Amino acid sequence: MTQAYLQHITDTLAQIEADGMMKRERMITSPQGGQISVGPRDVINLCANNYLGLADHPELIAAAKEAMNPRGFGMASVRFICGTQDIHRELEQKLATFLDMDDSILFAACFDANGGLFEPLLGPEDAVVSDALNHASIIDGIRLCKAKRYRYANSDMTDLEGQLKLAREEGARFILVATDGVFSMDGYLAKLSDIKALAEKYGALVMVDDCHATGFMGPKGAGTPAHAGVDVDILTGTLGKALGGAIGGYIAGPQPVIDLLRQRARPYLFSNSLPPSIVAAGIKALELVEKGDDLRARLFENTAYWRAGLDKLGFDLLPGEHPIVPVMLGEAQLAQDMAAKLFEEGVFVSGFFFPVVPRGQARIRTQMNASLTRDELDKALGAFETAGRACGVIA
């Protein structure tokens, strides 16, 4: 590698640092949970996607351990060669039943699921109409397919209708509307009832990425379509958030769609299968979620309490009902400084800034967890008050 190229990379990193946008990782020395250890310190964790608190649940840990002796450590291959076991199909079928779909297909992550979804299903005669704030994995997946691309402003139904109408006028054979169920930087829910109505009007299909909803939104945690009371055509999601917090993604939908994805979805065909321990824990996580009404109730009680406490202190919050509660700060350096001060006060959060969110919209994205106690939330609110005053965020 040439010195000139290394200097170019070094200069780029220096500019990221100068702009206050350098991302740094703190080393956690405990299981993921409402409280975690970072080196010698115990801190309250408000920035994990561990919505139901299952990441350190003893039944999931036991299920993962128990799977390894009879089934091994890893599959060492892709599914269609010699990389699948009966429990892989068991998990896929349980996911499909849970989500009220015909079938589902597992991937290493939902990023892979979204990356492999569009290209096998849509050709150059087709169209994808995508929300402007969709997750990067949806954007990348759409880029990999040959369908014509249309984009509508976030949750703007007038714009969506205009794009659907344009796609029809331009002769699209099939149209797929793609949206996050929950927009993860803001905690906003997609307007699925309106999206579904417009899709039916223009003969379009609807795909929803439900990573930040599966397990806790809607009846029995079946996600944003269940929450909105509508059916959608394709659902993607993850095992890496509310369903245990490990790794693994899926696509659920009609049987012919899943069958074709098994034949042609490249991340599925060319990536190792999920290890047996993760699959077994995923099955157990679904069991806990299906009977987890108490966890969901506690999660939303915590969310309401937390949002009310921050609002009373005078922080600028984005409105919403989701356990994602963003505290808006504006500039990247302020978000970094606020996160550092909160860590000093015993609260673990991360600043979010460009390119994760638009310039000028830096924030601290707090996330609620069913395992957090009222005492922990009160302590965290005290830390936010101290840090907010120290950083000049609140009076």
Side-chain angles (χ1 to χ4, degrees), residues 110-379:
C110 192
F111 206 108
D112 287 334
N114 287 337
L117 173 68
F118 300 95
E119 190 271 337
L121 301 180
L122 301 170
E125 313 91 341
D126 305 317
V128 183
V129 185
S130 178
D131 191 289
L133 291 190
N134 276 342
H135 191 266
S137 58
I138 296 177
I139 295 168
D140 286 358
I142 292 171
R143 285 173 178 161
L144 292 171
C145 81
K146 293 182 172 64
K148 191 166 183 180
R149 304 166 200 166
Y150 300 81
R151 188 173 76 161
Y152 64 98
N154 177 236
S155 292
D156 185 330
M157 296 299 100
T158 301
D159 195 12
L160 172 57
E161 181 163 21
Q163 298 303 316
L164 285 167
K165 184 177 180 181
L166 181 59
R168 275 282 165 245
E169 289 173 347
E170 294 183 347
R173 179 183 59 173
F174 301 118
I175 303 173
L176 176 65
V177 179
T179 182
D180 283 354
V182 176
F183 298 97
S184 60
M185 290 300 107
D186 302 314
Y188 294 155
L189 273 61
K191 299 175 180 178
L192 291 187
S193 295
D194 295 338
I195 291 170
K196 177 69 174 180
L198 285 172
E200 290 180 345
K201 180 177 178 179
Y202 289 92
L205 307 168
V206 178
M207 167 267 173
V208 175
D209 175 334
D210 230 18
C211 283
H212 285 276
T214 307
F216 60 94
M217 294 297 298
K220 298 299 179 184
T224 53
H227 180 75
V230 300
D231 295 323
V232 299
D233 299 287
I234 298 171
L235 271 175
T236 68
T238 183
L239 305 178
K241 294 182 171 59
L243 301 185
I247 197 168
Y250 60 83
I251 300 171
Q255 193 67 59
V257 168
I258 303 304
D259 290 346
L260 182 59
L261 291 171
R262 289 194 195 280
Q263 300 303 312
R264 293 185 177 174
R266 291 167 71 84
Y268 178 83
L269 293 173
F270 297 106
S271 295
N272 269 20
S273 300
L274 287 174
S277 57
I278 299 298
V279 176
I283 293 170
K284 177 57 69 173
L286 275 179
E287 293 177 9
L288 296 177
V289 164
E290 287 177 335
K291 59 184 180 183
D293 287 346
D294 58 331
L295 294 176
R296 285 182 282 275
R298 197 176 314 137
L299 171 63
F300 285 100
E301 287 169 5
N302 283 349
T303 299
Y305 186 81
W306 177 248
R307 180 177 283 279
L310 289 176
D311 187 61
K312 184 177 181 180
L313 289 172
F315 285 100
D316 180 14
L317 310 179
L318 293 182
E321 58 182 296
H322 192 272
I324 291 172
V325 183
V327 180
M328 304 304 290
L329 299 169
E331 299 306 317
Q333 191 58 60
L334 179 57
Q336 298 268 53
D337 294 344
M338 182 81 173
K341 182 62 177 174
L342 282 164
F343 187 72
E344 290 177 11
E345 297 296 320
V347 174
F348 189 103
V349 294
S350 294
F352 285 70
F353 41 83
F354 183 83
V356 179
V357 296
R359 292 184 188 275
Q361 295 186 29
R363 67 199 65 184
I364 286 174
R365 185 184 73 175
T366 64
Q367 291 170 269
M368 286 294 98
N369 180 324
S371 68
L372 289 165
T373 67
R374 190 59 54 90
D375 286 345
E376 288 168 339
L377 292 177
D378 286 339
K379 181 179 177 182

Side-chain angles (χ1 to χ4, degrees), residues 40-90:
R41 298 191 60 193
D42 290 336
V43 292
I44 298 169
N45 184 10
L46 297 185
C47 60
N49 300 315
N50 185 27
Y51 294 107
L52 296 177
L54 299 182
D56 61 347
H57 196 286
E59 290 189 42
L60 267 65
I61 296 169
K65 289 179 178 178
E66 290 167 6
M68 282 194 280
N69 280 337
R71 298 182 184 276
F73 176 68
M75 299 309 303
S77 189
V78 300
R79 289 280 290 268
F80 79 94
I81 299 176
C82 59
T84 191
Q85 293 176 334
D86 54 344
I87 57 172
H88 290 83
R89 281 301 292 147
E90 181 183 352

